Amino acid sequence: MQETAPPRTYRVKSFGCQMNVYDGERMAEMLAQRGIAPAPEGEEADLVVLNTCHIREKAAEKVYSDIGRLRREDGSSPLIAVAGCVAQAEGEEIMARAPAVSMVVGPQAYHRLPDMLDRAVAGERATDTDMPPIAKFDALPARRRTGPTAFLTVQEGCDKFCTYCVVPYTRGAEISRPYADLVEEAHRLVEAGAREITLLGQNVNAWRGEDGAGRGIGLGGLIRALAKVDGLERIRYTTSHPADMDEEMISAHGEVAKLMPFLHLPVQSGSDRVLKAMNRSHTADSYLRLLERFRAVRPDIALSGDFIVGFPGETDAEFEETLKLVDEVGYAQCFSFKYSPRPGTPAATMDGQIAKEVMDDRLQRLQAALNRDQLAFNRASIGKRCAVLVERKGKYPGQWLGKSPWLQSVHFTGEVQLGDIVTLELVEAGPNSLAGQLLAAVPA
Ligand code: SAH
Ligand code: SF4
Ligand code: F3S
């Protein structure tokens, strides 16, 4: 590689989960701290960070085609860093196959991006896919700017090893960030403008720590502590795992007013045989019973989940059990995916891989059921009054977009400001959003 001029502008493109979005924001902050500016919309950046996701099909191919697209007419490219989970899984191969890439940095090492950048400017290519537990967070700059909603990573990594999933390999073992650091970062985010914080983790409810008095607490305890931060009005968390749910977490939903009535709890399948083959540590019934405990303390809680159709060996009858579970729960919204064999995972080499057409058909049927329930949930909200956090301007003059407590998108018009929490009456419902009427510019 040749020496290049230090970059003046950057662009970070994040794919995948919200933790990647958080990581992308933190990388952007580090670059900004070095005096590098975000590239204006539509203009080429001197430095491009591709913050990649490896969870499903064709992740690596997508990275190579993105790299190809960055090539200029004269054959040169901007400085390119590949970050995220594909970097972790296939870093060496990327370096070998894509000479335009000068930096490969894994999700646990991105605090070293500025040093790598110095080396790249000097003409040296560098790969860093170390997994030093937690060191990253200490090395990141303080948060300075955010909109009304912000992410806060509290936990990383996964020890669950579901047989289809790459995350334990790309993100490493479960680790929890220390309590004091999180309380501090929450204060900084609120000072920077956040009114809602979503706590993030691959298994966010596996978070464990010690509070100020040295007592061992879980995520429910952390949420209770964060609820005391003045100016922070709403707390959410994602994604949780059924096996890590405890009474402290469930009761928080009944006791902490700032904790929003929404639970994203992936189940993946309604068939116990499939769940076992997936190495999920729950059954359909234990999952349903867990949801009942949440509903008992918070009857209006909105439920969400993740599903995989076409796991190796899944029969028609087993798929029907998934549809049955969906009917029993009545989800407010969900994510559903076709099974995608991931290199290096146990399920990729299992017998009984399912034909694409069968998967397509099952996904379509599942999504029809989930869409039906989502619309029903939204329609049932008509006539309700609720507090909405104003998050963005809408498409039309005077229009605003915000979220209900149940994570529904709501649009409305009125004299309000970004970050206000206003009282609306929900008057119309579609599958993906609702219309509201402004009742008061303050919450009821
Ligand atoms: N840690 C979270 C989810 C991480 S990945 C959890 O366990 O809940 C997000 C979702 O992607 C998973 O819940 C699963 O539904 C889906 N997913 C993961 N690996 C997949 C694969 N190989 N094929 C299809 N979907 C997958
Ligand atoms: Fe993947 Fe399972 Fe871990 Fe979720 S719990 S990240 S699905 S291995
Ligand atoms: Fe994707 Fe990595 Fe998140 S694989 S879903 S970016 S943890």
Side-chain angles (χ1 to χ4, degrees):
M1 285 229 121
Q2 288 179 347
E3 275 183 46
T4 47
R8 279 165 304 163
T9 59
Y10 72 84
R11 174 164 296 122
V12 179
K13 284 178 74 179
S14 289
F15 305 90
C17 62
Q18 287 150 321
M19 303 200 56
N20 246 21
V21 175
Y22 175 89
D23 293 347
E25 286 169 1
R26 311 290 336 244
M27 285 189 267
E29 285 164 4
M30 280 191 292
L31 298 172
Q33 209 187 23
R34 294 218 139 192
I36 310 174
E41 190 101 21
E43 275 180 38
E44 189 193 88
D46 300 335
L47 164 67
V48 176
V49 180
L50 298 173
N51 191 22
T52 60
C53 170
H54 203 38
I55 200 83
R56 280 173 291 275
E57 215 119 20
K58 304 211 172 79
E61 289 91 296
K62 200 169 161 346
V63 177
Y64 292 112
S65 77
D66 281 348
I67 294 167
R69 242 178 289 139
L70 291 170
R71 192 207 284 266
R72 305 180 181 115
E73 272 181 15
D74 67 1
S76 65
S77 296
L79 281 166
I80 302 175
V82 179
C85 289
V86 180
Q88 187 67 39
E90 301 192 11
E92 279 173 25
E93 207 181 322
I94 293 171
M95 274 297 187
R97 264 182 65 181
V101 173
S102 47
M103 294 157 272
V104 164
V105 60
Q108 305 304 357
Y110 66 73
H111 55 296
R112 301 199 189 119
L113 184 63
D115 293 341
M116 296 173 83
L117 183 58
D118 290 340
R119 288 161 64 186
V121 167
E124 207 182 313
R125 303 175 84 202
T127 300
D128 193 337
T129 48
D130 277 2
M131 290 200 174
I134 226 107
K136 167 174 84 185
F137 293 105
D138 295 335
L140 296 172
R143 318 287 318 255
R144 291 221 172 73
R145 251 187 7 189
T146 155
T149 63
F151 290 140
L152 171 54
T153 292
V154 305
Q155 182 278 345
E156 282 214 59
C158 180
D159 298 342
K160 306 287 188 290
F161 291 92
C162 301
T163 52
Y164 50 80
C165 183
V166 289
V167 171
Y169 311 98
T170 61
R171 292 273 171 169
E174 287 178 1
I175 46 164
S176 297
R177 291 180 66 193
Y179 171 85
D181 294 6
L182 296 171
V183 175
E184 169 70 18
E185 194 168 326
H187 277 286
R188 295 288 89 80
L189 285 169
V190 170
E191 282 163 19
R195 305 208 72 197
E196 170 179 295
I197 292 181
T198 300
L199 308 176
L200 298 180
Q202 261 91 27
N203 289 289
V204 68
N205 58 337
W207 184 88
R208 295 287 175 273
E210 275 185 10
D211 68 9
R215 272 187 306 256
I217 54 170
L219 188 70
L222 178 65
I223 287 171
R224 285 177 169 86
L226 294 179
K228 297 197 182 106
V229 174
D230 276 341
L232 177 61
E233 303 300 338
R234 292 182 158 194
I235 302 173
R236 302 183 185 274
Y237 60 98
T238 201
T239 297
S240 37
H241 192 287
D244 291 317
M245 277 302 176
D246 58 9
E247 187 50 39
E248 187 191 31
M249 187 65 239
I250 296 169
S251 61
H253 272 282
E255 292 162 14
V256 181
K258 291 182 183 180
L259 179 58
M260 291 295 101
F262 186 91
L263 171 64
H264 179 69
L265 195 64
V267 60
Q268 317 298 356
S269 168
S271 150
D272 290 345
R273 196 210 53 86
V274 173
L275 288 169
K276 194 146 191 273
M278 287 176 162
N279 194 31
R280 299 288 296 184
S281 48
H282 54 85
T283 61
D285 188 55
S286 69
Y287 175 85
L288 291 169
R289 277 185 285 127
L290 188 55
L291 295 187
E292 279 318 309
R293 290 170 65 195
F294 280 92
R295 280 190 163 135
V297 297
R298 187 74 210 225
D300 70 335
I301 197 162
L303 299 170
S304 162
D306 289 352
F307 291 89
I308 296 176
V309 302
F311 184 81
E314 184 187 66
T315 64
D316 282 335
E318 286 164 348
F319 171 67
E320 296 290 337
E321 292 183 83
T322 298
L323 294 177
K324 183 164 154 262
L325 180 134
V326 167
D327 285 347
E328 274 174 43
V329 174
Y331 286 101
Q333 58 162 68
C334 271
F335 299 98
S336 50
F337 312 99
K338 284 184 271 189
Y339 167 71
S340 165
R342 309 313 295 137
T345 59
T349 50
M350 281 180 188
D351 291 340
Q353 301 285 326
I354 305 290
K356 183 180 167 300
E357 304 74 60
V358 176
M359 283 209 239
D360 286 342
D361 179 62
R362 287 182 189 166
L363 188 67
Q364 215 172 26
R365 289 177 62 200
L366 175 60
Q367 290 189 338
L370 294 171
N371 291 344
R372 172 202 69 201
D373 289 353
Q374 184 170 328
L375 183 61
F377 182 85
N378 287 345
R379 285 207 175 126
S381 306
I382 294 175
K384 278 189 191 162
R385 291 175 176 205
C386 70
V388 165
L389 171 60
V390 184
E391 294 183 11
R392 292 189 280 134
K393 283 196 166 141
K395 264 192 279 187
Y396 308 106
Q399 192 191 44
W400 298 91
L401 300 178
K403 293 269 167 44
S404 77
W406 308 282
L407 205 67
Q408 296 152 299
S409 291
V410 186
H411 54 89
F412 67 98
T413 52
E415 293 286 308
V416 301
Q417 291 188 340
L418 278 185
D420 282 354
I421 296 180
V422 298
T423 307
L424 298 184
E425 180 169 324
L426 301 173
V427 291
E428 257 178 66
N432 299 312
S433 67
L434 292 110
Q437 194 130 41
L438 185 64
L439 296 181
V442 290

